[in-house]
Amino acid sequence: MTLEINDTKDMLRAVQHICGSFPDDYWSRLDADGAYPQEFVDELTRAGWLSILIPEEYGGGGLGMTEASLILEEINKSGANAAACHAQMYVMGTLLRHGSATQRSHWLPKIAAGETRLQAFAVTEPDAGSDTTRISTTARRDGSSWVLSGQKTFISRVEQSDLMLVLARTRPYDAGRRSHGLSVFLVDIAGARGTLHWTKIPLMFNHHSYTVYFDDVRLPEEALVGQQDNGFRYILDGMNAERILVASEAIGDGRYFIGRAAEYASQRETFGKTLASNQGVSFPLAHAYASVEAASLARNQAAEAFDRGESPGSHANIAKLLASEASGEAARAAVRAVGGMAFSVEFGMERKLREAQLLEIAPVSNNLVLSYLAHNVLHLPRSF
Ligand SMILES: Cc1cc2nc3c(=O)[nH]c(=O)nc-3n(C[C@H](O)[C@H](O)[C@H](O)COP(=O)(O)OP(=O)(O)OC[C@H]3O[C@@H](n4cnc5c(N)ncnc54)[C@H](O)[C@@H]3O)c2cc1C
């Protein structure tokens, strides 16, 4: 960890410098091979950028959500994909806020030093996506151990992690108290060898997601994070950070699409003038720019609220919704501005088009965000 920054501009210049060493052809090569961007992640880890949210007392950068969000935005704006490593930034928040003193002092310095990777967060199951409370993976007590059984799916970066946070049922489902009886466990992946298995899910873009099988994985008593049965609250708590950071990636994607399309459209000529001199080309890009800027303001508001220690639920959800929609608008405007070249692998944009779509659905779909706002902010009835 070599983090030394004086202000935000220095920080962004340093991140840009790293991103600049991993140009488009690096990402295209990985995309073709389905390979993980290990060198890129190693560089960010070495420089300390992935541990900036860990307090200084544990060896982290001790910075806030505002800085973290700008870093992820910058990564995606450069053409890279922060999804390869973003969880390292926020998954540890569950441990930081709800873990025991022993868990914090044992793991956080190792994560901050880049020795231990906490990149995997296992909630989704084949029969429980948006409706988290219907998960059926269980953890039962057996003497002083916990025994974890079940199956998770779409769990990203399991193979690139040393630790995985897992949400499991510690009490049978009760329709009257749906979110009660769920608990969070910190699984040491190497320690679970033999009973923990996974298979990679082939996807339309280069993302490392797995179906994970827990075949009576035996965990020590101290693997439980926080209080038994209260895990749903801890997960929700971490989701605000996740939404703000994912919004930042979408803002970065939007800026990438607009920047790349504006550059191309300023150079290519049709009918004796540049593409960009046609308002039919420039106005959609300008409109998308306004949408991305609006999303950025909402994201800043959410990040600042988070850093003040407020509960930024509505701001974080608004930022995630607006940013993923703005990125989609920018992608459509960019394809129309660039034309056929947008589809060529060599140009690079088609890879980003595939990657950016995810953010409307995961980690939470925009319909569920709207449901949150309708129910929790406008106090309208919920459909479920
Ligand atoms: C590439 C990728 C990586 C992922 N990584 C992880 C990970 O690391 N860890 C993890 O736990 N999960 C992960 N996920 C899972 C992700 O969080 C879920 O896909 C997401 O929460 C949506 O769940 P679902 O896909 O089961 O959709 P479903 O719940 O089946 O819903 C399908 C669609 O229906 C809509 N819908 C559902 N219910 C309602 C409703 N009540 N009202 C209106 N609309 C509704 C939603 O908009 C949704 O788009 C990942 C997914 C992908 C694709």
Side-chain angles (χ1 to χ4, degrees), residues 121 123-124 129-130 154-156 207 209 358 361 363 365 367 383-384:
F121 188 30
V123 176
T124 305
S130 304
F154 283 116
I155 308 309
S156 303
H207 194 94
S209 269
L358 176 68
I361 302 297
S365 85
N367 270 0
S383 66
F384 52 88

Side-chain angles (χ1 to χ4, degrees), residues 68-95:
S69 65
L70 293 176
I71 289 173
L72 295 189
E73 175 183 331
E74 202 57 41
I75 290 174
N76 275 33
K77 182 180 149 202
S78 79
N81 186 4
C85 51
H86 58 188
Q88 181 89 354
M89 272 196 176
Y90 57 76
V91 175
M92 67 79 208
T94 305
L95 206 55

Side-chain angles (χ1 to χ4, degrees), residues 13 19 50 54 72 121 132 191 209 223 226 247 257 271 328 336 341:
R13 263 194 295 273
C19 293
L50 298 184
I54 297 181
L72 295 189
F121 188 30
T132 303
S209 269
F257 289 126
F271 304 100
R336 287 173 192 158
M341 276 305 278

Side-chain angles (χ1 to χ4, degrees), residues 7 13 26 31 35 52 79 115 126 129 154 240 280 288 294 299 315 322 332 337 347 377:
D7 62 23
R13 263 194 295 273
Y26 171 78
D31 189 48
I52 67 162
E115 292 163 13
F154 283 116
N240 287 328
R299 182 275 315 267
H315 292 319
L322 296 185
R332 283 187 297 280
F347 192 68
V377 181

Side-chain angles (χ1 to χ4, degrees), residues 153-232:
T153 194
F154 283 116
I155 308 309
S156 303
R157 299 165 301 274
V158 176
E159 210 159 282
Q160 292 78 28
S161 270
D162 302 300
L163 299 173
M164 167 165 52
L165 276 184
V166 179
L167 186 71
R169 277 225 154 269
T170 37
R171 230 171 254 288
Y173 178 77
D174 173 356
R177 297 178 78 197
R178 289 188 297 185
S179 56
H180 185 67
L182 299 171
S183 304
V184 174
F185 295 89
L186 185 64
V187 176
D188 179 351
I189 292 176
R193 200 166 285 141
T195 51
L196 180 64
H197 308 276
W198 56 80
T199 52
K200 193 171 176 192
I201 304 173
L203 294 171
M204 64 184 261
F205 65 120
N206 188 22
H207 194 94
H208 300 259
S209 269
Y210 303 82
T211 297
V212 183
Y213 306 90
F214 302 91
D215 297 330
D216 290 344
V217 174
R218 194 160 280 276
L219 303 174
E221 194 165 26
E222 58 273 16
L224 177 70
V225 176
Q227 285 176 342
Q228 183 186 333
D229 298 332
N230 274 342
F232 189 71

